[in-house]
Amino acid sequence: MAHDADTIERPVSTQDAAASAAFLRNLPAPEPSMGSAAYAAQRERALAFDPRRRANYEKYLRARTDRRIVDYLPIKLDIENVSRCDFRCTMCQVSDWHKGQRAGDMPLDSFKALLDQQYGLIEIKLRGMGEPLI
C-alpha cells in the first residue's frame, strides 16, 4: 500500500481485518508539536520521576508485543476538569447548557489526588466539552 503526503489509500475490502490492521500500522505517526526529541526528553523526565512509573511503562511496552498479558496501569489519561466555557460559540453544545456549565469544576485537591493515585501516567490531556484552562 502506497501513501504520500497528499493521499492515503484504504484497503479495498473493509471486511478484511488483516488488510485493515496493516493499513493502520502503515499510517504515518503524528509529529509532536515540539518535535520527537523534545517529546522523548519529556517522557524520560516523567519516567525518572518515580521508579514505579518506569516499571509500569516497561510493562506497557512488553504488552504491546505480547497482548496476552496486560498488567500495567494506564499511561495516558484525558481529564475533563472543567465543563464550562466563557465563550458562547453558536456551533458548540456548551452554549445550550444552563449557565454554560454541565457540572461543577474539579477541585484542585481532587485533581492532585487523582494524579497521585495514577503514578503510571506518562501523558495527561486536559480536555472535554469545557475550556480546561478557565
Side-chain angles (χ1 to χ4, degrees), residues 52 73-74 109-121:
R52 297 177 302 170
L73 295 173
D109 290 339
S110 297
F111 183 78
K112 289 179 182 179
L114 175 64
L115 297 183
D116 288 343
Q117 292 167 3
Q118 296 296 320
Y119 61 82
L121 296 175

Side-chain angles (χ1 to χ4, degrees), residues 58-76:
E58 289 170 0
K59 287 180 181 180
Y60 160 76
L61 292 176
R62 281 192 301 274
R64 288 178 63 189
T65 58
D66 183 0
R67 300 213 183 261
R68 292 175 296 169
I69 300 174
V70 178
D71 62 347
Y72 59 90
L73 295 173
I75 64 163
K76 297 179 182 183

Side-chain angles (χ1 to χ4, degrees), residues 44-59 119-120 122:
E44 186 54 40
R45 285 183 60 205
L47 292 172
F49 185 76
D50 187 333
R52 297 177 302 170
R53 183 174 291 157
R54 183 175 300 281
N56 185 65
Y57 188 69
E58 289 170 0
K59 287 180 181 180
Y119 61 82
I122 304 296

Side-chain angles (χ1 to χ4, degrees), residues 87-99:
F87 293 111
R88 297 295 174 258
C89 303
T90 58
M91 74 296 244
C92 182
Q93 68 187 28
V94 175
S95 300
D96 296 333
W97 295 342
H98 179 68
K99 295 185 180 179

